Amino acid sequence: MNIELFLQYVVAGITYGTIYGIVAIGFNIIYNTTGIINFAQGEFVMLGGMAAVTFSRFLPLPAAILVAVLVTTAIGALIEILFIRWLHRPSVLRMIVITIGLSILIREVALHIWGESVRALPYFTGTSVTSFRLGGVYISPQVLWVVGISTVVVASLGGFFRYTLLGMQMRACAANRDAARLCGISAKNMVTFSFMLSAAIGALGGCIVSPITYVQYDSGVPLAIKGFTVAILGGLGNSLASAGAGMLLGILEAFSISLLPAAYKDAISVAILLVILFARPSGLFGSTEVTRLKEF
Amino acid sequence: MRGKSGVIIGIMALALFLGAGAQAAEPIRVGAILAVTGPASFLGGPEARTLEMLAEEVNAKGGINGHKVELFIMDSEGKPEKAVSFAKQLIEEKKVLAILGPSQSGETMQIKGIAEEGKTILLSCAAAEVIVNPVAKWVFKTPQKDSDAILWIFGQMKKMKISKIGFLSGNDGFGQAGKGQVEKLAPENGITILASDVYDKAASDLTAEVTKLKAAGAEAILNWSIVPAQSIVIKNARQIGFKGPIFQSHGFGNIKYVEAAGEAAEGVIFPAGRLLVVDVLPDSHPQKAILVKYKNEYEKKYKEDASTFGGHAWDAFMILAKAIEKAGSTDKEKVRDAIENLKGFVGTGGVFNFSAADHNGLGHDAFELQTVKKGKFALYGK
Amino acid sequence: MRKQGLQIAGFAAVVAAIQLMAHVTGNPYHLTQLTMSAYYSLVVLGLCILTGYAGQISIGHAGFFAIGGYLSALLTTYNLSAHGGPIVSVLAAMGILTRRPDLYGGELLTVHPWPACIFAVLTAVAIAYAIGGPVLKLKGHYLAMATLGFGIIVYRIVLGTELVGSADGIYDVPAFPLLPGIAVSGKSSLRVMNYYVAWGFVILGMVFLLNLVRSRVGRALASIHGAEDAAEAMGIPTARYKLKIFVVSAAFAAVAGVLLTHYNGGIGPSESSVMKSVRYLAIVAIGGMANLWGTLLMSLLLNYLSLRGYFGTYDDAVFGVILILIMLFAPGGLLRRDLLEEVKGVFRGNGEKAS
C-alpha cells in the first residue's frame, strides 16, 4: 500500500468518522442530562437531511438547511414533551424500549411522507465530480465542509457548556439533578433543551453529509449504532472524546476493506462495540471508577 | 320456416348471451408479489403501479376474452419469508391463475418450488439467470439475460481497447448473479479483472472500495448492482479522480439514479432496454409504439419517470394477457403452454420468443448500449 | 400443578378447535399462517423468560433464530456430491447424509435434517454460553446494546457471506422428517399435520417453561429481577442462573429457527434483523412481561395478523407503536396479573381487590 492509497483511506475515514462523532455527541448530550440513551438519535440525522432536501425546492440552500434544522429541533422538543417528560423516574428498560419504539415510528412516518426513494442535497460548493488534489489525495470540497462545520459545532458546544448560563445549567443537571433543582434550575426544561440541542446537531450532520452519500427513510438506524459505538468508545458522556473516537472508527472502517470484503464493513463497528463493552465499558478515555458508580 | 329459424336463432342468441353473461362474471384471478415498500421499493413501487394501471386499462375495455382481471398485489417488503407466505396464500386460497413478480431474484428463488408444486404460472420480474436456468416448467422471467448485458459491455470495452478492469457488485441476488457471469465471461473476452469487491447493498460510502480499484490500475470500472448504491459508486469514483469510463449493468435503468449521482453520471455506459431512449427510436422500430404508449400513460398517471423496472412488470402482465387470449381459456396448463409457444411478442424489454428450453425469450438484441448526456439517457455512440 | 395441567389442556383444546373451525368453514389455508405464528411464538416464549422473568433485556434474539435456521438450511442444501474425500465418506457411512432429487432432476447429497438440526441448535447453545458470560455482566443500556450488537453481527455475517446466499438467503430447504410419517414441511397436503406438530412443540415448550418458573430456578429469577444485589447477598449464584436462562432462551429461538426454515423451505437475512428482535420484544411487552400465557396469546394474534398482511405497509410501525404505548402506559404489560385481578374485582362488584 503506497502513501497515496493510505491517505485516501484516511480521508474517507475522516469524512465518515466526523458524522459518527456528531451522532455520538448527540447521544452524549441527552445522556448527560437525563441518563437516557436515545435510540432515535439516528432519526434526527435522517430527518434533517430529508427535510433539507424538501425545503431546498423552494428556498436557497443555506435557508433550507436552517429551516430543516429548526424543524427537527422542534420535533425533538415535541418528542420529549409528548413521550418522555411526564414519566416519573422511568426504569432503564422502559426508556430503552420507548426510544426504540420512537425510532421505528419516526421511520415509518418518514417512509409515508417521503416514500422510499433516496435523496441528496446538492453539493455546497462544486458538484459531484469536483475534487482537488492535496498531496496525491483527492478530496471533494464537501469533505472540507463536513470537517469544518463539525469542528465549529464541537467548539461552539464546548463554549456553550462552559460559558453560557443555559449550558452551565445543563451541566449542573447532569452532575446532580436534585441539587440542580434545589438551586432553582428546572430539570424538566433542561431535559427538553437537551433533546432540542441533540436534534439540532443531528439534523445539521444529516444536511452536511447528504451530498456525499444520500439520505433515505431508514438511513438513521446504522448511524445510531455507529454513533453509540463511538460514544461508548470515547466514554459515555464525554463529547470531546466522541469526536476523536469517531475519527478512529471511521478510519478503521475505511481500512477494513483492504482486508475483508466490503460487505462486512458495517460489522466492524459492531464488533468494536462488543469488544469495548466486554473489555472496557468506560471507553478509551473514560474513567473506570466513574463508570462503575454510574447507575444503570 | 322463418319463424322457426327465427326462434332457433333467438334461442341460440339467448344462450350465447346467457353464456357470455355467465362467463363475463368469472374474473381472471392474477396475483402479484412485489417489494412495494422496503429496501427494494425502487423495483416494486414502479412495478406495482404499472400493474394497477394495466389492470384498470384492460378491465375498462371489458377484460381479456370477456373476463375481467382481478389483481391481488401483495407487498412482500423485500422479505423472502413474506414472499413465501403470500405465494402460498395466492396459490391455495385465492387460487390465482398466475403470479407476477417477485421483484427480486432472492424472493423468486424462494417461491420457485412453491409455484412448481402448486402448478401455478410464475412470471418473475427479477433478473437472475438461475430463475430460468435450469428451466422449471412453470417459471418464466421477463428481464433480459445478464450474459447478454455483459457481452454488450465487454464488446464496448474491446472497442475502447480496455482490457483491465475493476469490478464491484452488490451482495444481493442480482449482484451475485452478475458477478458469476462476469467472472465466467471475462477471460474468453480478453478482459482481466484486476480487483473486485462485493459491497453491502445498503452501503452509503464506497470511497474506500473505488480507491482500491484505482490503486490496482483499473482502466475502467464495472459496477453490477440494482440498488441506489450504484449512484454512490459513480460519485465516489469521480471524486477520487478516476478518469476512466464507468460501466453499469442494466440495473441502472431509472433516471433517479442519474439524479442521485449528479454530474458524476455523465458518460456512464450501460446496456438497457429501449424504454429509456424511446424518443430517439425510429418510428419503424417494432417496439416504438408500445414503448411510447407505456411511457406516456405511466408518466401522466403517476407523475414520475417510467423506468425499465416497471417495464418488466408491463411485459409480465401483457405476456400473460396475450397467452390467455391465445389459449382461449383460463386453464393453467393451457395458458402455460401458450406462454411457452409465444413468439414475436413485442414488449418493453425487447421482442420475446419463448420456447420449452427458453423461459426468458429475450436475446442479445433486447439491449441498446446507452449513456447519460446532460442528465438524460441517450443512445451511446449516436 | 393441577391448575397448570388444566391450563395446558384448555389451550390444547383451543388449538384443536381452531383447526376444526378452519376445516369446517373451508378456510384451511389460514393454518399456514397459524403454524408460522406457532414457531415465532417459541422464540417469544424463550425471550419472555429471559426478559420478563429474569429481567435481562435482549434486543438481539433474532440472531439465535438465524443461527439455528441458517445452519440447518446450509447443511441440508449444500451439495456434497461434488466433494469426494474421506470426511464425506465417513459421514455417509455414519448415516448422516442423505440423497434426494433436486428440482431439475439432478441429485443432491446433503446432510440429513436431523443431524443438521442437532448441530444447529448445539452451535447456537454454544455461542450463547460463550457470549452469555460477558454480556450478562452488563446491565441496563449496556446489556441492551450488547445484545443489539450481537444481533447485528449475525445479520451482517449472513448478509455478507456468499455461502449462505448473501442478501437473498437460502432456498430449496427440504422437509424435516421428525419421525416416520411426521415431517415438518410446507406441502399443502401436510398442512393440518404440520399445524399440530408446530403447536405440539409450543405446548411442550410451555410445559417446560411453566415448570421452570415454578421451580427453584424460577423463584431465583424473580429475585434477580427484583433486586439483583440482594439476591446475590442471599447466596443465589445470580451469574450462573442468568447464563442458564440466557442459554435456554437461545435454544428455544434456535429450535424455532430450524423448524420454521424447514417449514418455509428457506430463510433470508431479514430473519436476523433488528426489526425482528424488536418485534419479539414488543410481543413480550404487550403480553405482560412476566406472563407466559399472555405472551403466547399475543404472539399468536399479532404474528397471525402480520403474516396475513393485515397491517399492510404499516407492519413495522404497528409493533413500534405497540412498544411505545405499552411502555408509556402499562410497562408491566397489558395482561398483567394485578391488572386482570383489578378488572375481575370491578366485575365482582364489591370494589374489593382480589388477593
Side-chain angles (χ1 to χ4, degrees):
Chain A
M1 186 181 302
N2 57 19
I3 189 76
E4 280 184 8
L5 189 59
F6 182 85
L7 284 177
Q8 194 75 55
Y9 279 146
V10 168
V11 169
I14 289 183
T15 316
Y16 271 83
T18 322
I19 297 301
Y20 301 153
I22 292 224
V23 178
I25 291 178
F27 271 122
N28 281 327
I29 294 178
I30 293 186
Y31 175 75
N32 272 334
T33 330
T34 66
I36 301 175
I37 301 261
N38 177 20
F39 276 76
Q41 187 65 30
E43 264 58 50
F44 289 144
V45 177
M46 181 272 292
L47 281 176
M50 297 294 264
V53 171
T54 308
F55 291 132
S56 67
R57 286 211 204 117
F58 346 102
L59 297 170
L61 192 56
I65 295 181
L66 185 63
V67 175
V69 170
L70 288 175
V71 166
T72 313
T73 309
I75 294 179
L78 200 66
I79 288 178
E80 198 276 331
I81 294 176
L82 279 181
F83 297 105
I84 317 250
R85 191 171 247 242
W86 49 276
L87 290 173
H88 182 66
R89 290 203 189 280
S91 70
V92 168
L93 173 56
R94 215 169 153 196
M95 286 323 302
I96 290 174
V97 172
I98 291 184
T99 50
I100 291 180
L102 280 173
S103 122
I104 297 175
L105 194 60
I106 298 178
R107 242 197 333 269
E108 292 291 311
V109 169
L111 171 60
H112 284 94
I113 295 181
W114 283 293
E116 73 285 347
S117 39
V118 300
R119 286 144 210 276
L121 280 176
Y123 280 73
F124 293 5
T125 49
T127 68
S128 58
V129 297
T130 45
S131 65
F132 55 91
R133 268 186 91 125
L134 194 67
V137 178
Y138 287 88
I139 306 184
S140 159
Q142 194 64 27
V143 172
L144 295 181
W145 279 105
V146 169
V147 176
I149 292 185
S150 307
T151 315
V152 168
V153 165
V154 173
S156 336
L157 219 55
F160 170 79
F161 279 122
R162 192 166 295 194
Y163 302 118
T164 64
L165 184 60
L166 188 55
M168 287 193 277
Q169 284 180 330
M170 286 174 78
R171 269 169 59 209
C173 222
N176 189 328
R177 197 164 160 143
D178 293 320
R181 287 172 67 209
L182 285 174
C183 287
I185 299 175
S186 160
K188 281 191 185 295
N189 285 338
M190 289 306 117
V191 172
T192 316
F193 280 132
S194 65
F195 266 82
M196 289 169 71
L197 195 54
S198 276
I201 294 179
L204 188 58
C207 292
I208 57 182
V209 84
S210 93
I212 304 184
T213 164
Y214 51 67
V215 270
Q216 202 175 17
Y217 75 97
D218 61 358
S219 326
V221 182
L223 275 179
I225 313 281
K226 295 191 187 172
F228 184 80
T229 306
V230 166
I232 300 257
L233 192 57
L236 203 54
N238 185 343
S239 281
L240 200 56
S242 297
M247 298 287 177
L248 187 58
L249 181 64
I251 294 179
L252 278 174
E253 268 192 0
F255 277 98
S256 75
I257 74 135
S258 50
L259 290 170
L260 296 168
Y264 291 120
K265 201 161 82 166
D266 283 348
I268 302 284
S269 52
V270 185
I272 294 180
L273 174 67
L274 287 179
V275 166
I276 290 283
L277 284 178
F278 293 162
R280 201 188 150 90
S282 48
L284 290 177
F285 307 112
S287 148
T288 4
E289 298 88 27
V290 174
T291 314
R292 246 182 255 137
L293 285 176
K294 281 203 178 85
E295 251 197 46
F296 287 114
Chain B
M1 206 43 207
R2 204 183 284 165
K4 239 195 211 169
S5 61
V7 169
I8 292 177
I9 291 179
I11 291 178
M12 277 171 59
L14 192 63
L16 266 176
F17 186 75
L18 284 174
Q23 264 212 323
E26 175 78 37
I28 303 178
R29 305 161 86 98
V30 176
I33 302 178
L34 300 169
V36 185
T37 61
S41 48
F42 47 89
L43 294 172
E47 287 166 0
R49 294 191 271 277
T50 304
L51 287 184
E52 279 167 0
M53 186 177 86
L54 285 175
E56 252 181 66
E57 213 181 283
V58 159
N59 284 340
K61 295 204 188 113
I64 309 174
N65 291 350
H67 300 257
K68 292 227 186 218
V69 170
E70 206 180 333
L71 187 60
F72 302 100
I73 299 187
M74 315 206 74
D75 178 10
S76 71
E77 295 177 32
K79 295 183 185 153
E81 72 270 11
K82 280 228 142 106
V84 167
S85 177
F86 291 148
K88 290 195 185 159
Q89 238 183 307
L90 287 171
I91 295 178
E92 296 168 13
E93 273 188 63
K94 305 257 197 298
K95 299 210 187 339
V96 295
L97 166 62
I99 297 182
L100 306 177
S103 321
Q104 294 183 102
S105 308
E107 293 177 62
T108 308
M109 293 311 292
Q110 294 265 7
I111 68 171
K112 194 171 167 183
I114 300 178
E116 284 286 312
E117 199 216 323
K119 298 204 188 350
T120 304
I121 301 169
L122 184 64
L123 274 156
S124 172
C125 301
E129 196 86 10
V130 289
I131 296 175
V132 293
N133 186 6
V135 169
K137 185 170 172 209
W138 294 90
V139 179
F140 301 83
K141 79 168 168 117
T142 53
Q144 306 92 334
K145 286 194 180 49
D146 291 344
S147 46
D148 286 328
I150 295 170
L151 288 174
W152 272 100
I153 294 175
F154 283 169
Q156 182 59 34
M157 284 180 179
K158 276 192 241 174
K159 278 195 208 153
M160 295 167 110
K161 307 246 189 299
I162 293 174
S163 62
K164 302 191 178 36
I165 64 167
F167 179 66
L168 288 177
S169 57
N171 68 345
D172 55 10
F174 183 77
Q176 274 185 296
K179 180 165 186 264
Q181 292 284 331
V182 166
E183 287 171 352
K184 189 172 102 175
L185 295 169
E188 65 203 47
N189 281 284
I191 305 283
T192 320
I193 304 175
L194 293 176
S196 82
D197 212 342
V198 177
Y199 53 83
D200 182 58
K201 64 184 202 172
S204 52
D205 173 64
L206 294 160
T207 314
E209 285 81 346
V210 293
T211 305
K212 193 164 97 172
L213 299 184
K214 181 172 172 228
E219 292 165 335
I221 291 183
L222 170 57
N223 176 54
W224 197 275
S225 68
I226 202 161
V227 290
Q230 55 188 314
S231 306
I232 296 188
V233 170
I234 317 176
K235 275 203 278 202
N236 291 157
R238 293 291 179 229
Q239 265 160 15
I240 61 163
F242 181 76
K243 301 271 187 287
I246 301 183
F247 291 84
Q248 294 269 27
S249 69
H250 47 298
F252 195 57
N254 188 330
I255 197 78
K256 286 199 182 138
Y257 294 141
V258 173
E259 286 164 6
E263 268 197 35
E266 289 292 307
V268 164
I269 306 175
F270 67 105
R274 296 187 177 82
L275 176 61
L276 306 173
V277 289
V278 63
D279 297 326
V280 294
L281 276 183
D283 286 336
S284 55
H285 196 280
Q287 282 181 276
K288 174 126 187 179
I290 57 126
L291 285 177
V292 167
K293 180 164 179 280
Y294 171 55
K295 182 162 188 262
N296 289 340
E297 281 173 8
Y298 186 89
E299 286 173 7
K300 194 168 101 179
K301 184 160 180 168
Y302 295 113
K303 315 252 187 302
E304 69 178 27
D305 280 46
S307 65
T308 50
F309 312 132
H312 297 320
W314 193 100
D315 292 340
F317 186 91
M318 296 308 266
I319 287 175
L320 182 66
K322 187 84 187 194
I324 297 176
E325 249 181 67
K326 271 184 64 180
S329 97
T330 53
D331 172 63
K332 282 184 187 173
E333 283 275 359
K334 295 211 178 100
V335 177
R336 188 212 79 88
D337 291 341
I339 298 181
E340 223 179 42
N341 291 318
L342 209 50
K343 306 251 185 279
F345 177 84
V346 180
T348 67
V351 179
F352 289 84
N353 289 304
F354 290 97
S355 76
D358 183 359
H359 275 201
N360 171 229
L362 290 177
H364 192 69
D365 56 355
F367 284 120
E368 280 282 353
L369 207 56
Q370 298 176 35
T371 183
V372 176
K373 277 202 194 120
K374 297 211 198 324
K376 297 219 177 306
F377 290 123
L379 283 175
Y380 183 75
K382 298 205 183 128
Chain C
M1 212 31 224
R2 183 122 179 257
K3 183 173 163 209
Q4 177 183 321
L6 274 175
Q7 285 176 329
I8 297 277
F11 182 71
V14 168
V15 167
I18 293 181
Q19 190 266 314
L20 286 170
M21 206 168 58
H23 183 71
V24 159
T25 57
N27 289 324
Y29 353 89
H30 290 249
L31 295 181
T32 306
Q33 280 80 28
L34 287 169
T35 311
M36 288 170 80
S37 300
Y39 290 126
Y40 283 128
S41 305
L42 273 178
V43 186
V44 172
L45 287 175
L47 188 61
C48 179
I49 290 283
L50 181 66
T51 302
Y53 285 93
Q56 308 299 309
I57 185 169
S58 166
I59 332 179
H61 252 58
F64 289 117
F65 180 95
I67 291 178
Y70 261 97
L71 279 176
S72 183
L74 180 63
L75 288 172
T76 53
T77 52
Y78 191 74
N79 192 359
L80 294 165
S81 336
H83 308 257
I87 302 186
V88 179
S89 327
V90 165
L91 288 176
M94 280 166 59
I96 289 188
L97 302 181
T98 173
R99 270 178 208 287
R100 69 171 191 277
D102 71 11
L103 206 53
Y104 316 106
E107 206 188 48
L108 288 174
L109 177 66
T110 64
V111 178
H112 186 275
W114 258 119
C117 165
I118 295 177
F119 179 77
V121 176
L122 284 180
T123 310
V125 164
I127 294 181
Y129 255 115
I131 71 163
V135 165
L136 293 167
K137 279 204 190 62
L138 304 168
K139 295 197 190 27
H141 287 122
Y142 287 174
L143 173 59
M145 271 301 179
T147 54
L148 183 65
F150 166 70
I152 293 180
I153 287 213
V154 172
Y155 179 63
R156 288 285 155 198
I157 291 180
V158 300
L159 254 191
T161 311
E162 217 174 300
L163 185 63
V164 293
S166 293
D168 290 325
I170 304 182
Y171 42 85
D172 279 343
V173 176
F176 187 164
L178 290 172
L179 296 168
I182 304 186
V184 173
S185 145
K187 273 200 166 55
S188 40
S189 48
L190 302 173
R191 199 187 293 125
V192 177
M193 167 170 64
N194 266 280
Y195 173 77
Y196 281 115
V197 164
W199 285 103
F201 271 104
V202 171
I203 291 181
L204 278 177
M206 274 300 275
V207 170
F208 176 79
L209 289 177
L210 283 170
N211 280 330
L212 187 69
V213 163
R214 289 181 170 108
S215 74
R216 232 175 70 179
V217 179
R219 290 196 290 275
L221 289 179
S223 67
I224 293 176
H225 189 176
E228 191 161 334
D229 297 326
E232 187 85 41
M234 292 283 287
I236 298 177
T238 54
R240 201 151 50 95
Y241 277 131
K242 285 198 293 190
L243 184 59
K244 264 200 195 143
I245 293 303
F246 188 70
V247 169
V248 165
S249 68
F252 265 74
V255 168
V258 170
L259 293 172
L260 189 58
T261 302
H262 284 281
Y263 183 73
N264 278 339
I267 188 170
S270 52
E271 290 288 0
S272 65
S273 65
V274 173
M275 274 317 296
K276 270 272 146 86
S277 295
V278 168
R279 230 175 244 237
Y280 297 142
L281 195 60
I283 297 177
V284 171
I286 194 176
M289 279 296 176
N291 184 345
L292 280 172
W293 282 113
T295 307
L296 180 57
L297 289 172
M298 279 296 144
S299 166
L300 171 57
L301 185 65
L302 289 172
N303 274 315
Y304 171 72
L305 290 177
S306 165
L307 285 168
R308 294 284 306 179
Y310 273 123
F311 300 137
T313 55
Y314 293 94
D315 210 30
D316 284 342
V318 165
F319 287 94
V321 169
I322 288 178
L323 267 183
I324 297 181
L325 291 178
I326 292 292
M327 276 302 149
L328 283 182
F329 302 114
L334 269 186
L335 303 178
R336 263 161 44 216
R337 293 288 141 136
D338 44 341
L339 203 59
L340 285 174
E341 297 297 343
E342 269 187 56
V343 173
K344 266 194 227 157
V346 167
F347 281 113
R348 222 172 272 136
N350 53 10
E352 207 182 270
K353 271 221 171 84
S355 55

